[in-house]
Each structure stands twice: as structure tokens, then as C-alpha cells.
Amino acid sequence: MLRHLGVHAPRLAFNFKSSLIHGGRGKTLTTRAFSSSAAVSPPSKAIVYEAHGEPDTVTKLVEVPAVEVKEKDVCVKMLAAPINPSDINRIQGVYPVRPEPPAVGGYEGVGEVHSVGSSVTSLSPGDWVIPSPPSFGTWQTYIVNDEKVWHKIEKGVPMEYAATITVNPLTALLMLEHCVTLNSGDAIVQNGATSMVGQCVIQIAKSRGIHNINIIRDRPGVDEVKERLKNLGADEVSTESELEVKNVKSLLGGIPEPVLGFNCVGGNAASLVLKFLRQGGTMVTYGGMSKKPVSVSTSSFIFKDISLRGFWLQKWLSTDKAEESRGMIDRLLSLVQEGKLKYKMDLAPFEDFNTALDKALGKLGSQPKQVIKF
């Protein structure tokens, strides 16, 4: 069983590499024999990549044989799993932590308990669960893994939200609560406000009485985008070109100078976040979508005492934070059920995975988050 920074990968009950390479798509895969009394999972179907590369060329649908369900194991029928940018990066081989191929794609999702091992006490068939911390290999119809990997959630949560709660919303909540101390009435500023993390930051900040200033790239239909973000709870939304003024703080109106900024873009968009920050403010970088570096003037360090830091969810989860993260996930799911946290997604049937992947890769223009429904 793979272990990466405390993240558990689902067990596979056959020689994965040799079976995929020599069996090939549509052919019978070699399985090991089980005793007549052994509990086993149903056969599964999985999206697999045998080597790193572009996801639309290296992924394939593979039939996976039954897996033994040991006494502390739980067999989960997956209900839904998203296609995240980090999933794509893992397949490409550029993400810092990734399973070695051949591997099953996916990192988060939601499923329903199908069966449990003889010693399992915390879960029962029919329960809804998510892997927490997230686990490699969620793009498959059945997963068998140890009981401690699974976190039980309320079944009343919409499936697509349960499937996507662990990466982007948790990132937003952690950055708002673990980077600096924020009180009601404080303000934050962020770029990449239309991203899923950005949308979650807006709504979580609003629920805590924290003002939020949002920077978006120039684009067609920008007025509609601004209106959508304001409907989520954004106080101010400006394009990068609108902020090319000498004193951006003159645009704040009655909003206090932000104590905290979030950067997921880099380049000029990061510089704009820095311009808004108050004396002693902190900018947290959690992405670099423009692939441009963050540049900071010497005066910002000396005269404004600006602090820079980074945030990576997977590193935080690797520091024995499973129980804390589960409590935060439950809080986020409560916000979803209360209608205080929402974001746009497309549910795509598993058989339409290739189309959903093309959308996630940007081949079909700007698209909502793609969530596979099994």
C-alpha cells in the first residue's frame, strides 16, 4: 500500500503494473485467488494512467478485479469525484507529491459504504464517507481501504459538494483561520477571486463578518462576473486594469486596509494584492496560475513590514491534522446545508469522463468544476 506524507492509497489486489501492461484495455486482468470464506469487493472500473503525460493521452478506463475486504477494511462504492487541477498535475508528473504510475487518478470524492470487515465498528453499509485526509485513486467505482481512512458525513449534503469539500473549501477556511488572527470587521484582499478557493474565501469571510476585496483578470462579460461575486458576498471586485492607479487604497471607501492577502496568480496580480495591504500585513501565496514570479519592492519590506508566506494543503494535512481537518470539513458541510457556501459545478456521468476531462483541461473554453458521477 502506498504511503505519501500520511496519505493512504487504496489497496489493489493484483500486480497492477504487469496486469495493465500485459493485459491491456478490454482484456482480462490477472487476479489472485481468495479463500472461499474471504469477503471481497465487487469488480471495479477505474481511470488509470500507466505513465506520466498529458491526461487526455495517457488515461484509460480499466476493469479492476475484486479486492479482499480484510477485518479492518471498508469497501466503498464511490458516488462522485472531481477533476481538480492538482489531479491533472499529478498525471503530468509535475506535482510535488504523486503516486508512481501505473496509478488511478483522483484525490478526493464521496462514496457510500458497500460492506465492512468483521472488526469495523464505526461505519455501516449505507453510510456516506469521504477519504480524510484525501487519498490517491478516487476515480474508480469501488475502493477498499482501512476503516481509519474514512470520515462519515451527513447524507443530506448534495453529492457534488461532499465530493469537493476537502481540497478547495478546506484550503480557503485554513488560510482564513491559520495564517493571521482575523476579527469581525477586518478585511482581506485576494486575486483569483473567481476560482473555487476564491469563491469560498468570499463566502466564509462574509459568514465571519470579514470584508473582502477581490481582484479578477480583465475578460469579456466582466460586469456579469462582478455581479456573481457580489451575490456571493464580495464587498469590492476590481479588474487588474482598473487597479492601475497611483493609490489603490483610495478605492477602499469605508473598508479598512486589509491585514491579509491571498495570491494564487503571481506576477502583476500579486503586486496588486501587496499594494492593498496595511502596515505589517501578510500575503499568503497558494498558487501561481500565471507562472510568473512574485516581485516585492524593498520599500514594502522596510517601510511597510510586509510578510510573505506560502500555504500548501497537502503539507498541512501531513502534520497529523486528520482530526482537526475532519472537524473543519464538518463545519464547511454545515455551511453548505445552510446555503452559506456554494459554487458552480457540472456533474458528468462516468461514461462521459473523456468529455469532462476535455472541459477540465480548458479545451472547451471556460467551464465550471467537473465532477464525475459514478
Side-chain angles (χ1 to χ4, degrees), residues 191 240-241 244 265-273 275 290 292-293:
N191 57 36
E240 292 183 32
S241 64
E244 296 300 330
V265 180
N268 181 61
S271 299
L272 291 172
V273 170
K275 287 181 180 180
S290 72
K292 295 179 181 178

Side-chain angles (χ1 to χ4, degrees), residues 1 24 67 80 93 106 115 182 186-187 196 206 209 215 290 294 322 342:
M1 187 180 294
V67 177
S115 62
L182 292 171
D186 286 340
M196 188 179 286
K206 180 184 178 183
I215 303 167
S290 72
V294 174
K342 53 191 175 182

Side-chain angles (χ1 to χ4, degrees), residues 127-150:
D127 289 342
W128 275 26
V129 293
I130 59 174
S132 178
S135 299
F136 300 131
T138 56
W139 293 352
Q140 56 185 318
T141 53
Y142 288 91
I143 298 177
V144 174
N145 215 331
D146 192 278
E147 174 185 17
K148 63 186 178 183
V149 170
W150 302 104

Side-chain angles (χ1 to χ4, degrees), residues 188-254:
I188 61 100
V189 58
Q190 66 169 343
N191 57 36
T194 58
S195 68
M196 188 179 286
V197 172
Q199 293 177 60
C200 292
V201 163
I202 291 170
Q203 294 170 87
I204 297 169
K206 180 184 178 183
S207 73
R208 293 185 51 196
I210 297 168
H211 300 287
N212 57 92
I213 301 152
N214 301 275
I215 303 167
I216 61 175
R217 62 179 173 83
D218 294 271
R219 69 189 77 192
V222 70
D223 289 338
E224 290 81 359
V225 174
K226 288 182 177 181
E227 185 66 24
R228 177 162 56 87
L229 294 180
K230 287 188 175 181
N231 286 339
L232 292 178
D235 290 290
E236 295 291 339
V237 184
S238 300
T239 64
E240 292 183 32
S241 64
E242 290 171 340
L243 297 177
E244 296 300 330
V245 296
K246 187 172 183 180
N247 181 16
V248 296
K249 292 181 181 179
S250 64
L251 306 175
L252 288 175

Side-chain angles (χ1 to χ4, degrees), residues 13-15 19 28-34 64-66:
F14 62 102
N15 186 323
S19 295
T28 302
L29 300 178
T30 303
T31 66
R32 73 182 182 213
F34 299 111
V64 180

